[in-house]
Amino acid sequence: MTTPLLLIAAGGTGGHMFPAQALAEAMLNRGWRVQLSTDARGARYTGGFPHSTEINQVSSATFARGGLVAKAMVAPRIALGVLDAARRMRRDRPDVVVGFGGYPSIPALSAAVLLKLPRLIHEQNGVLGRVNQLFATRVACVACGVWPTRLPEGAQGLHVGNPVRSAVLDRAGASYIPPGDYPMSVLVMGGSQGARILSDVVPDAAAALPDDIRRHLRIAHQARPEDIDRVTARYAAQGIKAEVEPFFHDVPRRMSEAQLVISRAGASSIADLTVIGRPAILIPYAAAAGDHQTANARGLVEAGAAILIPERALDVASLSAQMSAILSNPQAAQHMSRAAMGAGAPDATERLVALVTELANRNG
């Protein structure tokens, strides 16, 4: 009996790649082979994938970047990627193809459509991304991370939640130490887009906190590379202990040790918060397509697990006031931690695995 093969198509950002990694881990543990189809940009996120994942780097492009010459080359590059993906699939036929969004998933999904292979897509956000909109009616099912998700007519959707990596599951429900008269950790995550405003506002908001809170702070702040020096200097000038890095490879550990998380409302960040269970202040990225980050945040806010500050309302005074409200009230923070754990779908990976397995069985 041949080993079944899953081909995962994803790329662009951690928001696409982290749930793809979760599915790869689960399917490998079930004895499947797993291939990942991505481009050079997505390949930067493959370090966390299990070593047995086969990485196929394909040619892809987007109309959203570059000048006229770059835009003129988009269609030829995608066509080249589709041909390459189809050639690979004919040689090593996947049992199921799963797309996670991002333009690097276009070649593999297009080839799967042309070859009539069993396929589905997973949408992390409450609003379909542009690539997933293209394929929503050309797949067996849209597995939705947030519910309800707006789907085009003719698309079949099923709520599964957003899978999280094993490193997050290992911290599921980690004991929460409420804020108090001792070192308090704050994790600041801006995501791969829109991090600058957090670098502009958070250091000064922390500096504006009452002294009995500020002197206990230990901040871990993800910032754009070009902002690291000024953010580091701002914290240092206020006597606040801070680690400022462009990317933390141990976010699950840092989140589990945090008394408060300040973050954009990307789907993966929301999923991690609900599995680990931490109070959060969420600032949805205003430029996100269809304002999908506000839709992502809604469940946590309605559950009483997070405070939402729209980007247009974010300033030093408003953020400092909300930070103080949480860090000065241990009981409220503890309640938010418990509410976060009740607002997610910790079995999202298992639900997605079941969909993949059912699709494979249905097609022999």
Side-chain angles (χ1 to χ4, degrees):
M1 183 177 176
T2 59
T3 303
L5 171 62
L6 168 67
L7 189 143
I8 293 172
T13 68
H16 300 305
M17 297 295 279
F18 291 150
Q21 179 185 325
L23 180 62
E25 292 167 347
M27 299 307 291
L28 286 166
N29 286 338
R30 284 159 177 77
W32 284 53
R33 288 172 55 215
V34 175
Q35 294 178 351
L36 171 68
S37 179
T38 189
D39 73 343
R41 186 171 173 231
R44 296 180 304 175
Y45 292 91
T46 59
F49 277 71
H51 294 307
S52 51
T53 307
E54 304 166 38
I55 310 296
N56 296 332
Q57 198 163 310
V58 297
S59 171
S60 191
T62 174
F63 288 102
R65 295 188 184 89
L68 291 175
V69 174
K71 285 179 168 56
M73 292 302 296
V74 169
R77 288 183 64 187
I78 290 176
L80 183 64
V82 174
L83 290 172
D84 184 41
R87 178 182 56 81
R88 293 175 192 264
M89 290 180 190
R90 285 195 183 99
R91 188 175 65 237
D92 194 9
R93 189 178 181 88
D95 292 87
V96 178
V97 177
V98 181
F100 281 87
Y103 65 85
S105 67
I106 294 174
L109 282 171
S110 298
V113 172
L114 290 172
L115 297 176
K116 296 182 170 56
L117 297 175
R119 57 199 178 273
L120 62 88
I121 55 176
H122 180 275
E123 173 56 54
Q124 297 85 53
N125 302 296
V127 177
L128 284 178
R130 291 185 182 91
V131 172
N132 279 351
Q133 286 179 28
L134 291 175
F135 291 99
T137 59
R138 295 174 173 86
V139 295
C141 178
V142 180
C144 301
V146 175
W147 198 258
T149 296
R150 296 202 295 270
L151 299 172
E153 189 175 347
Q156 179 184 348
L158 186 67
H159 182 215
V160 299
N162 278 309
V164 298
R165 298 157 288 160
S166 59
V168 176
L169 288 174
D170 289 344
R171 303 271 176 171
S175 296
Y176 176 64
I177 300 173
D181 190 19
Y182 37 73
M184 294 184 289
S185 296
V186 176
L187 176 61
V188 182
M189 301 189 298
S192 57
Q193 300 182 86
R196 175 161 288 164
I197 192 171
L198 298 189
S199 294
D200 292 342
V201 176
V202 176
D204 288 344
L209 290 167
D211 182 64
D212 61 338
I213 296 176
R214 187 179 66 247
R215 62 191 172 91
H216 291 302
L217 289 181
R218 307 289 186 273
I219 294 179
H221 186 132
Q222 281 190 180
R224 294 157 62 105
E226 61 267 31
D227 295 331
I228 286 176
D229 288 345
R230 71 177 178 90
V231 174
T232 300
R234 185 60 185 148
Y235 281 125
Q238 298 298 325
I240 297 171
K241 294 184 179 180
E243 292 179 73
V244 185
E245 299 288 345
F247 188 80
F248 291 121
H249 293 278
D250 56 349
V251 164
R253 177 187 67 80
R254 291 177 184 274
M255 186 177 288
S256 70
E257 295 173 356
Q259 275 67 50
L260 172 64
V261 177
I262 300 171
S263 178
R264 291 302 203 178
S268 288
S269 298
I270 297 290
D272 291 354
L273 283 166
T274 62
V275 170
I276 295 173
R278 291 298 176 263
I281 297 172
L282 301 174
I283 302 105
Y285 181 41
D291 196 23
H292 68 250
Q293 288 206 356
T294 297
N296 294 346
R298 191 169 296 125
L300 274 182
V301 174
E302 291 176 351
I307 294 167
L308 187 147
I309 303 178
E311 190 172 303
R312 65 181 180 279
L314 180 67
D315 56 28
V316 170
S318 63
L319 180 58
S320 187
Q322 298 296 358
M323 292 174 68
S324 180
I326 295 170
L327 294 175
S328 64
N329 192 331
Q331 285 185 320
Q334 186 83 58
H335 172 79
M336 292 176 75
S337 173
R338 288 194 296 266
M341 283 188 287
D347 61 344
T349 303
E350 297 303 315
R351 295 186 194 181
L352 188 55
V353 165
L355 276 181
V356 171
T357 306
E358 178 189 348
L359 188 57
N361 292 338
R362 190 192 311 165
N363 289 272

